[in-house]
Amino acid sequence: MTMNDYSFLTRKQQDVLDFLLENQSHFVQPPTLDELCLAMGLKSRGSLHKHIQGLIQAGLVEAPNRKQRGVRLTKLALKTQSAALIDDLGVPFVGAIAAGVPIEAVENVEYMQVPAQLKTENRCYILQVRGDSMIDDGILDGDWVVIEQRNHANNGDIVVALIDKTEATLKHILQTPRETILIPANQTLQPMHFQPHQVEVQGILVGQMRSYTKKL
Amino acid sequence: MTMNDYSFLTRKQQDVLDFLLENQSHFVQPPTLDELCLAMGLKSRGSLHKHIQGLIQAGLVEAPNRKQRGVRLTKLALKTQSAALIDDLGVPFVGAIAAGVPIEAVENVEYMQVPAQLKTENRCYILQVRGDSMIDDGILDGDWVVIEQRNHANNGDIVVALIDKTEATLKHILQTPRETILIPANQTLQPMHFQPHQVEVQGILVGQMRSYTKKL
DNA sequence: AAAACTTGTTCTCTTTTTGTTCTTTAATTA
DNA sequence: TAATTAAAGAACAAAAAGAGAACAAGTTTT
């Protein structure tokens, strides 16, 4: 199984690279040529040496250093790996959403590590909830919600809706040909009725998170 | 923050460090060079001495002290060890918790990548909530909760409590000298009163997650 | 207090490991 | 068949690891 496809690498170089990537860890000593030989089923260091040289030329393995031995991957190699395996970057936290106020964006976008279960295949982002309009659905003030970026929704979905291009809010949506209704999950609040063209779906709720120790 | 990169250590230095980390708890007193030699199968203190010097330079072993002998690890060494374990694996998902039923453990422990905001420095694990006993706190059936492993709690904390060593439940806790009260967050349910010795705290709630797409 | 023992340190010397280079051999391709 | 490529193995130098002796400063035993 090749994890990365560097077409300019030979077959054996690929194999070596894959092995290094799989067994790489910050906390383990990089393997020596002999150990790599054993792992790859070679009997001579000399044979392996040529492949390593190729990987060094490709910038995927650190240039040898008389002082620091072992075959270690470069940052480049590690970077391309994480990009290939999972989106290791996480999900961007873009701001807070309060009923009736546009999304207040954060200046420096942070990325949060989100478990796979809380996101979808498609582009997602994170908002922090302000207010109690969804409290009956167990979405409290301060919760983070994972939103899948979309411009359409099904009836009953919880959506990020932009009203009249000015106000953003998190609500249940009910769309009919004549009107669009945004329904809070809070017995003290009333559903809001709009002309369909007034409401723009910006995403649907796919995940939610809460911290009981860090409040902000 | 600098990544814990031990790659500047030589093989043997790493071996010695590993040994010290693994057996650290077994030593009443920090081991002497001779004891370490014996343990590592060396015949000369002089050989070992060089490796220890390397570890001292790396800040992983305490600088020697004529008065206080033995090889002792620094705080840094202990810290980086636990950091290595937790960061790589994520948080283990150990099972489901329903009011009045022991935790049903999953057979193959999965690890979930949890955002830093939802966990603490200490050991955490994940449970899936069954039932509606905490619904007024916005904790719904099917939610995942992140629990910090602990055996004590403060009044008002939401805890995983083991009752009479048989039933596990997620509730608010109120401890007095005479009794321990477990309080559900559900208007239709009553607080439960116990003798203090009947209730065992297994952890406190530090984070919570919900998926709107994957139900199980 | 003196002798004997521990413990960490330093030194020299030897052995082993490791990366490199080279030649030879086997396998594959043109 | 000639040319190309990959592997094996030998040889080598530098680094790392090890053994053992010697020594100083402290402990313990006598």
Side-chain angles (χ1 to χ4, degrees), chain B residues 32-33 45-46 49 64 69-70:
Chain B
T32 65
L33 286 188
R45 268 174 288 167
H49 183 255
R69 305 196 153 189

Side-chain angles (χ1 to χ4, degrees), chain B residues 122-133:
Chain B
N122 306 316
R123 182 184 292 275
C124 291
Y125 57 93
I126 291 175
L127 292 172
Q128 192 166 34
V129 174
R130 294 269 170 247
D132 291 328
S133 69

Side-chain angles (χ1 to χ4, degrees), chain A residues 67-88:
Chain A
K67 203 70 197 217
Q68 273 186 201
R69 304 192 152 191
V71 180
R72 70 191 69 219
L73 293 167
T74 62
K75 297 229 175 73
L76 174 67
L78 300 176
K79 220 162 169 181
T80 48
Q81 177 197 32
S82 54
L85 280 181
I86 326 163
D87 47 322
D88 215 25

Side-chain angles (χ1 to χ4, degrees), chain B residues 2-18:
Chain B
T2 49
M3 188 62 180
N4 311 316
D5 200 352
Y6 288 167
S7 51
F8 50 81
L9 296 182
T10 66
R11 272 300 165 88
K12 257 290 133 59
Q13 286 170 358
Q14 182 80 53
D15 286 348
V16 173
L17 177 63
D18 287 346

Side-chain angles (χ1 to χ4, degrees), chain B residues 6 79 94 149 163 167 185 198:
Chain B
Y6 288 167
K79 217 163 167 183
V94 298
Q149 195 164 345
I163 306 168
E167 302 180 7
Q198 289 184 280

Side-chain angles (χ1 to χ4, degrees), chain A residues 53-72:
Chain A
Q53 289 302 314
L55 289 172
I56 292 173
Q57 290 234 314
L60 299 169
V61 161
E62 292 283 354
N65 180 344
R66 262 288 174 207
K67 203 70 197 217
Q68 273 186 201
R69 304 192 152 191
V71 180
R72 70 191 69 219

